[in-house]
Amino acid sequence: MRFLPVFLDLKAGPVVLIGAGELLRAKLRVLSAAGARIRVHAIDGNQDLDLGSGDAARIEIASGDPLTADLSGVIAIVCAGAGDVGVAMSVRAKALGLPVNVMDDLEHSSFIFPAIVDRGDVVVAVGTGGTSPVVARRVREKIEALLPARIGELAEFIGGFRKSINERITEFPLRRRFWERVIDGPIGAAVLGGRRSEADAALKAIADPSEFARADKPEGSVALVGAGPGDPDLLTIKALRALQDADIVFHDELVSGEILDRIRRDTTRVPVGRRVGKPGIGQDAINKRMIEAAQSGQRVVRLKGGDPFVFGRGGEEVEALRAAGVAYSIIPGITAGLGGAADFEVPLTYRHEATRITFLTAHKARDAEVVDWSTLTDTKMTVVVYMGMTAALAVRAGLFAAGRSPETPVGVFARVTRPDAQGAIGTLRYLPELVRRVSGGPAILIIGEVVRHAGSLRRETPKQIISDLLDAAE
């Protein structure tokens, strides 16, 4: 490690910025965003720096030769687009013992600019020793994705209580345990969730901080997490954090292996879902196991394909958690209907053609039989059917009986967003044959005029599609 990461106190004095053109302006924006006082030497004579109204008080436009300028009280020197002046300024700065950065010139720099993740009181600096700023930026992007948006607010919140709590807990290990419980428990979750007043009241309500820190039984919680339709890159950032924090994950059978790989390696994984035609442990048993795990102090994730509240029985699980007094949170996921529409370029709404969407489930034929299909015959309505492969005949019969045209466009989209995704597009008349054209589920059906806009219809003519279906039917 050639460069030691340090944090410079920008209140200690001004930073001298020397250079020209857009490189000067880019560094000016970085320093200004950090709240620095800046003395700018624009060596090209262009003093139009596009300063905001709030910057004027902190930014001084200097005149004269920077090589002879007074550097008293200066805390650092930055050269960007300064050419030979930057090299000469580096020599002067080093002679005076001042930190200096000459952009893209390690030989003449005593410090470098890292890629920065700025979350207020939480700042992460990523450096590559000046060898590859692009790599540093890519790492920064990964960290940006992992850090909660309000992590800086959490640090500020703790800072407001730190002195008073530290005065009440004299033992350092116990003090550390106290803050770990605050950060990892419901109080920290409340701050990160934007419920600052709730967190403030909860921390103030801790009568004995030492006893709170010594508590043998940590506070457990449950997160209902939507895993999305299968592509691990479609996990939300919040879902990924929950998987990394979990002590135990109860997951559906259909959650992809790539998503399960995002779970921390030492986390207990418990499959609790079921596939069509195979028994599962039952919803009541799942609820019971989640509640018991949370009450034992574990951080529990209930990981569901798609979204917990779209045919995921998340509502029932929330009711059970409420009744048991277990803390919980809900992290939505991309539901299969939206994932399939994006995957196969089917716009679920389309100006003047489709102005409404209905989502329904038809897991079995009897599910389809109880649907009031008469409400779904509007040609400007897109119907998205989940788990409809088994009940395809009943879905078609219901729509036919209600008066929907046999020529209504239909798409069957299986394993959407995954590498092995398949789609079959045709008309309602041939729905059962379309189902047979895809190699197994899970699959969704999209019914309506919008299917005409699917990407696949641009590659196949309607005559070709119907011919293929007739061949399949024979």
Side-chain angles (χ1 to χ4, degrees), residues 276-291:
V276 175
K278 296 183 179 180
I281 70 170
Q283 190 60 54
D284 289 342
I286 294 172
N287 295 346
K288 183 173 183 292
R289 294 180 70 173
M290 285 195 303
I291 290 167

Side-chain angles (χ1 to χ4, degrees), residues 138-319:
R138 289 291 181 264
V139 174
R140 180 194 66 194
E141 290 166 6
K142 297 292 186 183
I143 296 173
E144 286 268 19
L146 290 171
L147 281 180
R150 294 189 175 93
I151 191 71
E153 293 179 31
L154 180 59
E156 179 192 1
F157 171 81
I158 290 171
F161 285 93
R162 186 178 178 190
K163 183 178 179 181
S164 62
I165 294 297
N166 288 358
E167 288 173 350
R168 297 168 68 185
I169 304 177
T170 57
E171 303 170 49
F172 179 77
L174 199 60
R175 187 187 302 164
R176 181 180 60 195
R177 174 60 183 149
F178 175 88
W179 289 120
E180 286 174 349
R181 291 201 62 201
V182 167
I183 292 169
D184 295 336
I187 296 176
V191 177
L192 295 177
R195 305 188 304 277
R196 181 73 173 263
S197 58
E198 176 187 323
D200 190 82
L203 201 149
K204 288 178 178 176
I206 298 174
D208 187 340
S210 295
E211 188 62 30
F212 176 84
R214 290 191 186 97
D216 293 329
K217 183 180 178 182
E219 297 172 81
S221 62
V222 175
L224 305 183
V225 177
D231 182 351
D233 288 340
L234 293 179
L235 278 171
T236 65
I237 295 168
K238 198 169 186 179
L240 185 59
R241 287 199 299 266
L243 294 179
Q244 288 292 304
D245 289 343
D247 298 310
I248 184 169
V249 175
F250 296 97
H251 64 87
D252 288 347
E253 289 283 354
L254 293 177
V255 174
S256 70
E258 293 82 2
I259 289 175
L260 295 178
D261 286 343
R262 303 296 174 97
I263 300 171
R264 200 177 69 244
R265 293 188 183 279
D266 60 342
T267 298
T268 302
R269 304 179 189 185
V270 183
V272 294
R274 66 184 182 90
R275 294 178 181 268
V276 175
K278 296 183 179 180
I281 70 170
Q283 190 60 54
D284 289 342
I286 294 172
N287 295 346
K288 183 173 183 292
R289 294 180 70 173
M290 285 195 303
I291 290 167
E292 289 175 347
Q295 289 176 337
S296 72
Q298 297 187 76
R299 288 168 294 191
V300 180
V301 163
R302 174 69 175 102
L303 186 62
K304 299 167 169 291
D307 180 272
F309 280 5
V310 180
F311 306 121
R313 305 190 74 171
E316 298 169 53
E317 291 171 346
V318 164
E319 292 292 339

Side-chain angles (χ1 to χ4, degrees), residues 356 370-378 381 398-404:
R356 291 193 291 163
V370 300
V371 173
D372 183 1
W373 296 103
S374 66
T375 64
L376 306 175
T377 57
D378 182 357
M381 176 190 295
L399 286 170
F400 278 178
R404 196 89 185 219

